[in-house]
Amino acid sequence: MAEKEQQVHPLAPADKHPRSDEESASSLQSKELKRKKRIKYAVYIAAFAVFQTGVILVFALTVMRVKNPKVRIGRVTIETMETNNTGAAAASFDLKFIAQVTVKNTNFGHYKFDNSTMTFLYDGVIVGEAIIPKARARARSTKKLDVTVEVNSRALTTTTGLESELSSNLLTLNSQAKLKGQVELMKVMKKKKSPEMNCILTFNVSTRNLQDLNCK
Ligand SMILES: *[C@@H]1O[C@H](CO)[C@@H](O)[C@H](O)[C@H]1NC(C)=O
Ligand SMILES: *[C@@H]1O[C@H](CO)[C@@H](O)[C@H](O)[C@H]1NC(C)=O
Ligand SMILES: *[C@@H]1O[C@H](CO)[C@@H](O)[C@H](O)[C@H]1NC(C)=O
């Protein structure tokens, strides 16, 4: 090998110099170009990494963040309403109405929940129950379910509070429920969510209407 190099070298001087200058100049140029290209790629890759991190962050903070659905009573349609507050008998009420239960799901995946019990209370005493049937609220939508409810004052042990409330022409009920279900994201990620409902329904006794509905 050493010999061959020695053989080659003597031939070089005359016309190799200018060529080698050109060559070295162009190789320098191409080296510089390669270096610039490498920097460019590095910048692209870094920018892409930053962009992707941003996308993942936004995704994690919006799409993948599972929020608790909201359960409320949206509307009440009274079918029958009877109240007694005069005469010898104790004050009483008997109502049948359709409560429209709304399940608002703001997630990017559907919320599937089981049957659950909706409880109605008067002054802390359970006066009626109804079943919210199992259903599925689609992604970013509100599921509406009509639930028939029957409540009456038979379970009350004391009616003095009711008597005074009815005499002011009002009847106030409290409704509570807790759903049990899960939000499903991208068909793989499942997260349990148990939103609670707590509403106050105020009926107007003289007009037999729902006067006020307040859900938290
Ligand atoms: C109210 O009183 C009437 C007559 O006394 C009775 O027929 C009715 O069932 C009572 N209603 C309720 C809700 O208790
Ligand atoms: C849910 O309720 C319906 C009636 O409303 C009943 O037929 C069904 O068996 C219940 N399912 C469960 C899992 O309790
Ligand atoms: C019941 O409704 C009527 C008609 O809207 C109203 O005039 C009355 O004040 C209401 N009663 C009560 C106790 O708010």
Side-chain angles (χ1 to χ4, degrees), residues 13-180:
D15 59 355
K16 210 192 176 176
H17 258 293
R19 211 195 289 163
S20 98
D21 264 1
E22 265 175 49
E23 264 177 24
S24 73
S26 71
S27 88
L28 251 175
Q29 246 180 339
S30 79
K31 259 187 195 161
E32 181 67 16
L33 266 175
K34 272 184 189 160
R35 200 176 70 88
K36 275 189 180 161
K37 252 185 193 170
R38 244 180 275 135
I39 289 172
K40 218 156 104 182
Y41 284 139
V43 168
Y44 283 163
I45 289 167
F48 184 69
V50 168
F51 172 73
Q52 215 171 30
T53 307
V55 167
I56 289 167
L57 261 177
V58 167
F59 199 67
L61 291 176
T62 59
V63 177
M64 301 306 279
R65 211 185 91 202
V66 179
K67 282 153 279 175
N68 215 8
K70 283 202 178 80
V71 202
R72 285 160 187 276
I73 290 177
R75 202 170 55 198
V76 167
T77 311
I78 296 169
E79 299 212 316
T80 60
M81 178 168 174
E82 243 187 87
T83 57
N84 277 344
N85 194 32
T86 48
S92 62
F93 62 83
D94 197 315
L95 275 81
K96 187 176 177 191
F97 56 89
I98 295 164
Q100 186 187 69
V101 175
T102 62
V103 181
K104 187 180 178 187
N105 177 28
T106 57
N107 293 296
F108 287 86
H110 70 249
Y111 176 61
K112 202 172 142 191
F113 52 90
D114 295 329
N115 282 355
S116 69
T117 306
M118 175 160 58
T119 307
F120 288 83
L121 303 103
Y122 181 82
D123 202 15
V125 179
I126 294 173
V127 293
E129 280 179 348
I131 299 287
I132 300 173
K134 63 178 177 189
R136 178 193 290 233
R138 283 184 290 118
R140 303 187 68 73
S141 70
T142 301
K143 179 78 184 175
K144 292 173 182 164
L145 299 148
D146 281 343
V147 179
T148 301
V149 180
E150 286 184 55
V151 293
N152 63 63
S153 56
R154 262 168 271 167
L156 297 181
T157 50
T158 168
T159 56
T160 46
L162 178 62
E163 207 176 312
S164 76
E165 203 190 11
L166 287 178
S167 67
S168 66
N169 275 323
L170 290 174
L171 175 65
T172 307
L173 298 179
N174 173 235
S175 177
Q176 297 171 356
K178 183 178 181 176
L179 296 186
K180 282 209 179 89

